Amino acid sequence: MTAQAETAPPGGAEAVTAAGSQPELSVVIKALNEAEKIEACLRSVLAATDAATTEIIVADSLSDDETVAIASRFPVKVVQLARREDRGCGSAAQLGFQYARGKRLLLLDGDMELDPAFLPAAHAALDADPGLAGVAGLVVDRVMTMEFRRRNQKPDRTAKPGLLDHLNGGGLFRMDAIEPFGFFTDRNLHAFEELDLGLRLTEAGWRLRRLNLPSVYHYGHSTAAFPLLLRRWHTGYLHGHGELLRSKWGTDLWWRCVRGARLSLAVILWWIVLLALLAGTFVSSIPVICGGAFAVALLGPALVQSLRKDSFAMGLYSIALINFHAAGLLAGLFARRVDPKQPIDSTVRHSGT
């Protein structure tokens, strides 16, 4: 179906149109080049939801493959960014939110499949605790590249069940908890958009919980680790932490974001030490000592990581990863920002009927 221009309505429970009554649930599915996975994702969502009370929105970030064509075969609304420069994790979720009308919002990625038992448990948790703004479950990775093996070797605390300050991997949210902010996810963020959302919600007095049951099965990138790292640099994904720090400058949340960036800041300090030692090999009175210290400082972290991971390739990847993240932090600090409440230019590619 050809694209038809449409001004995106503000997201949220107040965005009830004459087209029908307010849905109980809006499912927002972020997609970018998910032609191989979007059908399975949509089938899992359709099987787990009631068509009479649910709207499904595929928010596409100008895919270059058949994602939109495949999604348009289903009874779902397909919306798409109007400009390639608006691509980003934050803008994708926010785009779906602009069209969402439900009382609650379920956020998924196009490479995920929804577990049918999650939504009943999540709704029950929100019903039982009016102080919960959002509920997630366990994200089960199905593709074990080096990237995902690294994550699963030492799971982040936010991947475990319990009360958390943010929910990675999507979840079910109350729309009335989100609406006072005027936006769902910050369109300026290429990553860490879920951390930003969680920080805003918890600062406002809400709680977030991860249940001890699977919510989604994640069929992530099968791209090899190093090419994936380079792609994330080119797409701006690795700029996310710097963008987040810039967005919180001057607020009470800034220091909480700095704590999360400690490793990247330590890497930047390591760069400064390396530069000082390198300079010392040329201008100091003890060039041999400075040169030896430079070699140890340069190679030591990679050797330590290789021993810790029991793999040279994993150790080398870990060092590359933290260096790219540190460089991305610096780049993100100087990235352009727009008002996150400003609507994202978009088109409706399929109305869902």
Side-chain angles (χ1 to χ4, degrees), residues 206-229:
W206 292 96
R207 296 189 304 279
L208 300 164
R209 180 182 295 278
R210 190 177 299 280
L211 304 178
N212 191 21
L213 80 167
S215 56
V216 294
Y217 302 95
H218 182 218
Y219 296 84
H221 295 285
S222 57
T223 307
F226 284 99
L228 178 59
L229 188 57

Side-chain angles (χ1 to χ4, degrees), residues 88-122:
C89 294
S91 62
Q94 177 62 16
L95 172 62
F97 174 74
Q98 288 181 182
Y99 289 88
R101 301 179 296 122
K103 297 176 183 177
R104 291 175 179 174
L105 185 153
L106 175 66
L107 179 64
L108 300 172
D109 286 347
D111 59 0
M112 294 175 171
E113 294 179 18
L114 180 64
D115 188 292
F118 171 68
L119 270 178

Side-chain angles (χ1 to χ4, degrees), residues 163-306:
L163 288 173
L164 302 167
D165 61 4
H166 69 285
L167 300 173
N168 286 331
L172 180 68
F173 297 90
R174 297 181 193 273
M175 200 67 94
D176 57 5
I178 298 166
E179 286 172 337
F181 300 116
F183 65 101
F184 179 40
T185 53
D186 187 336
R187 57 179 292 176
N188 298 284
L189 299 180
H190 286 81
F192 294 103
E193 76 286 355
E194 290 161 323
L195 173 57
D196 169 73
L197 172 62
L199 291 176
R200 287 185 281 119
L201 286 169
T202 54
E203 185 187 42
W206 292 96
R207 296 189 304 279
L208 300 164
R209 180 182 295 278
R210 190 177 299 280
L211 304 178
N212 191 21
L213 80 167
S215 56
V216 294
Y217 302 95
H218 182 218
Y219 296 84
H221 295 285
S222 57
T223 307
F226 284 99
L228 178 59
L229 188 57
L230 290 173
R231 185 168 76 182
R232 285 178 168 173
W233 174 264
H234 289 302
T235 61
Y237 179 88
L238 296 180
H239 301 177
H241 222 145
E243 293 167 341
L244 179 65
L245 284 172
R246 179 172 177 178
S247 74
K248 300 307 177 192
W249 178 255
T251 74
D252 293 338
L253 294 174
W254 191 79
W255 282 109
R256 293 176 67 181
C257 297
V258 168
R259 289 198 299 270
R262 285 176 296 183
L263 181 56
S264 291
L265 294 173
V267 170
I268 294 169
L269 178 60
W270 176 52
W271 293 347
I272 295 171
V273 171
L274 287 174
L275 288 173
L277 291 173
L278 183 61
T281 63
F282 297 102
V283 301
S284 77
S285 59
I286 49 172
V288 175
I289 295 176
C290 288
F294 172 79
V296 171
L298 178 64
L299 301 176
L303 293 174
V304 170
Q305 283 294 94
S306 297

Side-chain angles (χ1 to χ4, degrees), residues 27 70 94 111 221 276 281 310 344 351:
V27 181
I70 294 170
Q94 177 62 16
D111 59 0
H221 295 285
T281 63
D310 198 27
I344 301 172
S351 64

